[in-house]
Amino acid sequence: MAARPRRPTHVRPRLRRHRRLFLLIPLLLLFLLPPLSAVIFRRANSLGRRCLSVTAPHTPLAGRRLSFSIVTLSDESRGARGRSFRGMLNATARNRRAYAAVHGYGLAVLPPEAVDRSRPPAWSKVLALRAHLHRHHWLFWNDADTLVTNPDIALETILVSVIGHSDFHTSPDLILTEDINGVNSGLFFIRRSKWSERFLDIWWNHTSFVQFGSTKSGDNFALKHIIDHLSPEEMQAHVRIAKMQCLFNSYPWNWMAMWKSLHALIFHPSTTWKGVYSDGDFMVHFAGLDDKRGWTSRILKEIGTT
Ligand SMILES: *[C@@H]1O[C@H](CO)[C@@H](O)[C@H](O)[C@H]1NC(C)=O
Ligand SMILES: *[C@@H]1O[C@H](CO)[C@@H](O)[C@H](O)[C@H]1NC(C)=O
């Protein structure tokens, strides 16, 4: 049996030094990765990311125009701690109005009186959509913390990109995007139909999901719960989830040096890539961000309007 070779003594200090270097790697990642990824993410579209399917036509077929309305609502008087929507409706009004006017869409901004006080304000989107559903072919729900960043893109183009055709009568009813937490209720399309009416009623009836006193109001959890419990047949017939979140719901927080961004980047790189806000995207959504007014000013300045 061979004697075990003695470990040369000079190795120990070097090992210790290496171990110290290893400890430095997560720290380096924490400080270098976010700014590095921010630079790359801002250019995601010029680096080859495709949010719109390439086959989507950019103008709707003449004579087959469908009626669209953007619906939004905001409770200016209340807001979760540090994540206030105060002033957001005013800050984004001109942007939304200009977009709707250029394309000939309706724009329904629900007044604060339309907010149901028995629940957090976010829930009132369900009532607002229910009330407007019969007036248009399609409604496009907009949380108040969103902006149109590429007004050249028409809602018809977005829908064709997801659905694959523009026949209203054979379209699914609910068009959503997905982030790392699942479907998101901040921006979505709903079609005028019996199914949609029932869907909104069921959503509103999920009262056990209502939450007070945090940044979550429960409406998004309820939506996710309903979607998760649809049969595959019903899902196939009525719901579409866009392959690319950046089609109409891009998030800018992934640029920031936050633990959350790093976590998303490491554990959900593909979802992050599909959803991060990049120059040329249709809409930006300040989901999960505190300084919504500040972000609004910054993005409006970047895209050259105020
Ligand atoms: C929003 O704008 C309207 C009219 O311009 C103004 O009367 C109102 O006070 C503004 N609200 C907030 C919260 O800034
Ligand atoms: C929602 O709840 C109301 C009141 O309980 C009920 O009348 C209605 O049928 C429910 N709707 C659906 C679609 O479940």
Side-chain angles (χ1 to χ4, degrees), residues 45-72:
N45 296 333
S46 45
L47 290 172
R49 187 180 72 170
R50 289 277 169 272
C51 301
L52 276 167
S53 82
V54 282
T55 51
H58 278 265
T59 47
L61 298 172
R64 307 282 313 261
R65 267 218 82 162
L66 298 174
S67 137
F68 284 80
S69 184
I70 295 170
V71 184
T72 187

Side-chain angles (χ1 to χ4, degrees), residues 38 48 66 70 98 101 126 177 209 228 234 253 262 266 295:
L66 298 174
I70 295 170
V126 182
T177 57
F209 285 82
D228 286 348
E234 193 167 11
W253 59 255
L262 193 70
I266 292 169
W295 273 97

Side-chain angles (χ1 to χ4, degrees), residues 14-183:
R14 208 200 294 166
L15 253 181
R16 205 173 299 143
R17 212 177 319 136
H18 279 193
R19 203 175 308 145
R20 218 174 295 153
L21 269 178
F22 269 118
L23 285 175
L24 271 176
I25 289 176
L27 269 177
L28 275 176
L29 273 179
L30 190 63
F31 287 102
L32 284 181
L33 212 53
L36 210 72
S37 59
V39 169
I40 295 169
F41 284 157
R42 271 324 287 265
R43 289 159 187 78
N45 296 333
S46 45
L47 290 172
R49 187 180 72 170
R50 289 277 169 272
C51 301
L52 276 167
S53 82
V54 282
T55 51
H58 278 265
T59 47
L61 298 172
R64 307 282 313 261
R65 267 218 82 162
L66 298 174
S67 137
F68 284 80
S69 184
I70 295 170
V71 184
T72 187
L73 157 161
S74 171
D75 187 0
E76 304 266 304
S77 60
R78 281 198 300 196
R81 268 168 296 124
R83 193 159 291 175
S84 174
F85 277 76
R86 195 178 298 275
M88 279 306 290
L89 208 52
N90 273 11
T92 60
R94 195 204 294 240
N95 171 271
R96 235 179 284 285
R97 224 168 23 229
Y99 176 70
V102 162
H103 292 275
Y105 305 138
L107 173 61
V109 182
L110 276 285
E113 306 85 81
V115 172
D116 185 302
R117 299 284 156 190
S118 66
R119 301 187 187 191
W123 275 91
S124 287
K125 72 182 62 161
V126 182
L127 295 179
L129 291 169
R130 189 70 177 82
H132 281 75
L133 200 57
H134 67 282
R135 299 197 188 143
H136 299 273
H137 290 99
W138 284 98
L139 299 180
F140 181 32
W141 171 260
N142 283 194
D143 268 3
D145 59 341
T146 60
L147 286 171
V148 176
T149 43
N150 186 349
D152 293 340
I153 299 176
L155 299 182
E156 290 89 336
T157 308
I158 302 282
L159 287 184
V160 170
S161 191
V162 185
I163 300 169
H165 63 76
S166 56
D167 178 22
F168 175 77
H169 297 287
T170 57
S171 284
D173 299 274
L174 184 65
I175 312 293
L176 299 160
T177 57
E178 225 168 19
D179 61 25
I180 59 173
N181 298 311
V183 293

Side-chain angles (χ1 to χ4, degrees), residues 3 16 20 35 52 54 80 153 173 194 239 241 246 249 263 299:
R16 205 173 299 143
R20 218 174 295 153
L52 276 167
V54 282
I153 299 176
D173 299 274
K194 285 275 168 253
V239 184
I241 297 171
C246 60
N249 191 11
H263 185 271
I299 299 290

